[in-house]
Amino acid sequence: MIRAVTIVGAGPAGLTAARTLHQAGVKDVLVVERNGEAGGLPRFCGHPGWGMLDFHRFWSGPTYARKLVEAAGDVEIRTNSSVVAFQRGGVLVVNGSGGTERVQSRAVLITTGIRETSRAARLISGTRPWGVTTTGAFQEMVYRGGMTPFRRPAVIGTELVSFSALLTARHAGIKPVAMIEAGRRIVARRPGDLVARMLLGVPVWTDTSIVRIEGRDRVTGMVVSRGGREERIDCDGVIVTGKFTPETGVLRMSHIDIDEGTDGPSIDTGWRCSDPAYFAAGNVLRPVEHSGRAAEEGALAARAILRSLRESGPAGSFVPVRAGTGLRYVYPQRINADHGPVKLYGRVSENRRGTLRVSSGSRVILEKSVNLLPERRLTLHLPESVRLASEALCVSIEP
């Protein structure tokens, strides 16, 4: 049996795609989720702020996750099932409660999301005591387990998820001793630092790096470098936040192309991967966007899949796109021959002020002055004529 569509991942992007396909009349949709419950990362984010972009509501994370599942209707969602191989032509190898099986589909949508970078991956030195955790693990301990793992942790990072950790701490009656950022300014949008200091009473230290974590059985403190000198912080836990990477461990062992800039699968403007049987959407494409943006991309990818199911095959010609000077990444990485608006998205790694230029060889397609921050997504609307470009497009920012 060949299924119509299989979706890998039951977070905001995957469940929104499932709902979009089902409402359009595609009834043979399977969603495969490795966890025991569908809904994705919002399941353990008890604070409000979810559902604004896609449901126009102001929900807690668990409520948002539940509404995503409910909106998917009677779509088949298979939890506790892990994809262990992506094979050519839309064939998945899935491990579940019933053993291992091969699932073949006319189209596969990859929405496996992101994961936080661990302490080990960040090469933070010191001892290995209990009490060092990521935001996701911390939130699961608090909201699901009812635990208070520490009382005075330090929070490493200032991304949006870092402030989510602060809200979780407040919910549990935990008082972080400091929020630590290696850069000169916070990564999340301001006035996040003022909210941390003035409303939550947590000092924010920028231009501060971690030297080592101390403690034997559990965390007792941390040494940081601040203002050119070392300083010890008395704390009983460390919450390592952010620095997300796309969840592509299994995907990297497959034939599907991974982009070096985004660390996610490369796609065309129709959300297709290098193997035309596969599509991708949401935060697996790049780190990291708000859940509402991921859901929006899930819906767009679902509509692209609907077109592909009606048509004989994907367009055969593409214009490659690459990130040049000043950009961390740009996607989609290929512009296909389909009609419709051409949008490219990108981000910078640090503050960039200068001239943004989109060029194809010696031809300049778009040029404008920009002042970009790392936390803000760059959206480029290009003329349809770029589909006829004879050379690859380069998106760069020149001083």
Side-chain angles (χ1 to χ4, degrees):
M1 171 184 173
I2 299 179
R3 304 202 69 131
V5 182
T6 296
I7 299 172
V8 185
L15 291 174
T16 302
R19 179 174 81 243
T20 303
L21 290 165
H22 192 263
Q23 291 175 345
V26 182
K27 304 304 180 184
D28 183 22
V29 177
L30 169 65
V31 181
V32 178
E33 169 58 48
R34 69 180 180 181
N35 292 303
E37 184 181 356
L41 293 177
R43 290 176 298 141
F44 304 118
C45 298
H47 58 80
W50 305 85
M52 293 182 291
L53 295 181
D54 43 351
F55 288 96
H56 309 294
R57 296 291 188 272
F58 195 69
W59 289 325
S60 69
T63 298
Y64 176 59
R66 186 175 67 254
K67 295 294 185 180
L68 284 169
V69 175
E70 291 173 357
D74 58 358
V75 168
E76 181 183 357
I77 302 175
R78 193 179 300 177
T79 57
N80 290 316
S81 298
S82 299
V83 174
V84 296
F86 295 86
Q87 298 180 347
R88 296 183 185 277
V91 178
L92 303 173
V93 180
V94 182
N95 281 350
S97 57
T100 301
E101 65 173 312
R102 295 173 77 252
V103 179
Q104 184 170 5
S105 307
R106 293 177 61 191
V108 175
L109 176 60
I110 303 167
T111 62
T112 48
I114 48 173
R115 57 181 170 81
E116 287 179 285
T117 301
S118 67
R119 171 203 174 152
R122 299 186 196 209
L123 302 178
I124 299 175
S125 64
T127 55
R128 295 290 184 269
W130 190 89
V132 182
T133 182
T134 62
T135 310
F138 171 52
Q139 291 176 326
E140 186 168 358
M141 283 189 280
V142 169
Y143 289 115
R144 191 171 204 173
M147 299 172 59
T148 305
F150 28 62
R151 289 292 182 182
R152 304 177 331 277
V155 177
I156 311 303
T158 57
E159 297 179 41
L160 186 60
V161 69
S162 313
F163 292 89
S164 178
L166 293 186
L167 293 176
T168 301
R170 184 178 68 169
H171 171 84
I174 295 169
K175 179 69 173 179
V177 298
M179 195 176 208
I180 297 170
E181 169 60 45
R184 295 182 178 178
R185 65 182 304 278
I186 65 169
V187 176
R189 294 192 181 197
R190 288 175 168 166
D193 49 349
L194 295 180
V195 171
R197 292 187 181 106
M198 306 299 291
L199 297 183
L200 301 178
V202 179
V204 180
W205 296 353
T206 56
D207 204 14
T208 303
S209 58
I210 306 167
V211 178
R212 63 182 178 274
I213 294 174
E214 297 181 337
R216 198 160 187 179
D217 295 327
R218 62 172 303 138
V219 174
T220 58
M222 183 169 58
V223 177
V224 301
S225 176
R226 185 181 180 208
R229 51 186 288 186
E230 291 191 1
E231 180 176 340
R232 187 181 184 279
I233 301 173
D234 183 24
C235 60
D236 62 353
V238 178
I239 307 173
V240 181
T241 71
K243 288 192 179 295
F244 286 102
T245 58
E247 189 61 79
T248 56
V250 177
L251 199 60
R252 285 182 176 277
M253 297 185 289
S254 76
H255 62 292
I256 296 173
D257 289 346
I258 300 293
D259 180 69
E260 292 183 1
T262 62
D263 285 329
S266 65
I267 59 168
D268 65 21
T269 45
W271 307 93
R272 260 193 169 101
C273 300
S274 55
D275 181 336
Y278 289 90
F279 297 74
N283 282 327
V284 71
L285 293 178
R286 90 275 98 178
V288 56
E289 297 287 352
H290 188 276
S291 60
R293 295 293 184 196
E296 177 186 42
E297 291 186 346
L300 292 171
R303 296 185 188 111
I305 290 173
L306 287 170
R307 291 193 297 271
S308 75
L309 294 177
R310 292 193 299 262
E311 298 167 0
S312 57
S317 60
F318 299 93
V319 177
V321 180
R322 66 180 180 86
T325 304
L327 275 179
R328 177 183 174 188
Y329 62 72
V330 64
Y331 76 98
Q333 292 84 0
R334 300 182 303 280
I335 297 173
N336 62 21
D338 292 343
H339 295 289
V342 178
K343 291 184 182 180
L344 299 179
Y345 307 98
R347 279 188 188 262
V348 295
S349 297
E350 56 187 23
N351 296 7
R352 288 283 182 179
R353 184 193 300 267
T355 301
L356 184 142
R357 185 175 296 115
V358 181
S359 57
S360 174
S362 59
R363 175 191 170 203
V364 176
I365 296 169
L366 176 68
E367 194 171 68
K368 64 178 182 178
S369 297
V370 294
N371 183 10
L372 300 174
L373 298 173
E375 68 271 19
R376 296 183 182 175
R377 178 169 74 167
L378 168 67
T379 302
L380 294 175
H381 300 264
L382 301 183
E384 282 203 45
S385 59
V386 300
R387 301 183 192 277
L388 304 177
S390 58
E391 299 182 58
L393 292 190
C394 178
V395 184
S396 61
I397 301 174
E398 307 296 338

